[in-house]
């Protein structure tokens, strides 16, 4: 069934109707042009699938406290700091270039406790570290790319997950 604003609709050529066939065609062409000039990135679907891959977990989400500009380290090997906070856990990351194209991540989890930190990569695989008694951990030789932190806590407590971010 066509609507009044579709080509061939009951009021498509009605002079009182603000939309006509030409308007519909212009809007369709603008939609195509918008998709070509400002469409989603080529890897949009893969990024979204990675970001929601743990959707079935009943996880506590840790929000990024610094601005998005601090996240990207691809263009520079200058050290960066990132802080993620959830209701019950804080995660501080120091990210620095290793000189061989990889990154070293030094992190702290507060409050410290028996947790396992997992850095998931969109490209596949994960790096894991067990923080010491003070909550400090290190992940050497981390590949650049889209990642997400998952902090596994003791039994009975939901894990904490960060939004995806680019290294």
């Amino acid at each position: 069934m066509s609507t009044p604003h579709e080509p061939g609709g009951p009021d498509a050529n009605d002079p009182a109707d603000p939309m006509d066939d030409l308007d519909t065609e212009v809007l369709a062409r603008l939609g195509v042009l918008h998709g070509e000039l400002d469409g989603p990135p080529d890897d949009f679907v893969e990024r979204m699938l990675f970001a929601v891959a743990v959707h079935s977990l009943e996880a506590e989400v840790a929000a990024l406290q610094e601005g998005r500009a601090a996240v990207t380290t691809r263009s520079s090997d200058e050290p960066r700091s990132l802080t993620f906070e959830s209701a019950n856990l804080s995660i501080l990351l120091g990210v620095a270039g290793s000189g061989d194209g990889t990154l070293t991540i030094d992190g702290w989890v507060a409050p410290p406790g028996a947790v396992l930190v997992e850095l998931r990569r969109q490209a596949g695989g994960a790096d894991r570290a067990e923080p010491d008694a003070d909550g400090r951990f290190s992940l050497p030789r981390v590949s650049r790319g889209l990642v997400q932190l998952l902090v596994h806590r003791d039994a009975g407590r939901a894990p904490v997950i960060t939004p995806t971010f680019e290294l």
Side-chain angles (χ1 to χ4, degrees), residues 57-138:
L57 290 176
E58 291 186 20
E60 185 176 317
V61 177
L64 177 64
Q65 299 302 304
E66 265 80 351
R68 292 281 303 166
V71 176
T72 303
T73 59
R74 183 178 300 277
S75 63
S76 172
D77 279 342
E78 292 182 28
R80 303 273 195 246
S81 289
L82 303 169
T83 303
F84 296 94
E85 301 234 357
S86 73
N88 298 302
L89 193 73
S90 295
I91 307 162
L92 173 65
L93 300 178
V95 182
S98 299
D100 63 358
T102 64
L103 301 167
T104 296
I105 298 176
D106 291 311
W108 293 265
V109 177
V115 299
L116 174 67
V117 176
E118 179 180 0
L119 182 77
R120 299 177 55 242
R121 290 187 297 278
Q122 179 187 13
D127 296 304
R128 293 173 183 80
E130 290 186 33
D132 64 18
D134 296 321
R136 186 180 185 289
F137 64 92
S138 184

Side-chain angles (χ1 to χ4, degrees), residues 19-85:
M19 292 280 293
D20 62 13
D21 291 342
L22 180 59
D23 293 327
T24 303
E25 182 181 339
V26 168
L27 288 174
R29 287 182 181 189
L30 281 173
V32 170
L33 182 62
H34 180 269
E36 290 174 4
L37 298 177
D38 194 28
D42 291 339
D43 63 347
F44 179 75
V45 172
E46 292 82 13
R47 285 176 174 256
M48 290 306 301
L49 289 173
F50 175 72
V52 298
V54 293
H55 74 280
S56 62
L57 290 176
E58 291 186 20
E60 185 176 317
V61 177
L64 177 64
Q65 299 302 304
E66 265 80 351
R68 292 281 303 166
V71 176
T72 303
T73 59
R74 183 178 300 277
S75 63
S76 172
D77 279 342
E78 292 182 28
R80 303 273 195 246
S81 289
L82 303 169
T83 303
F84 296 94
E85 301 234 357

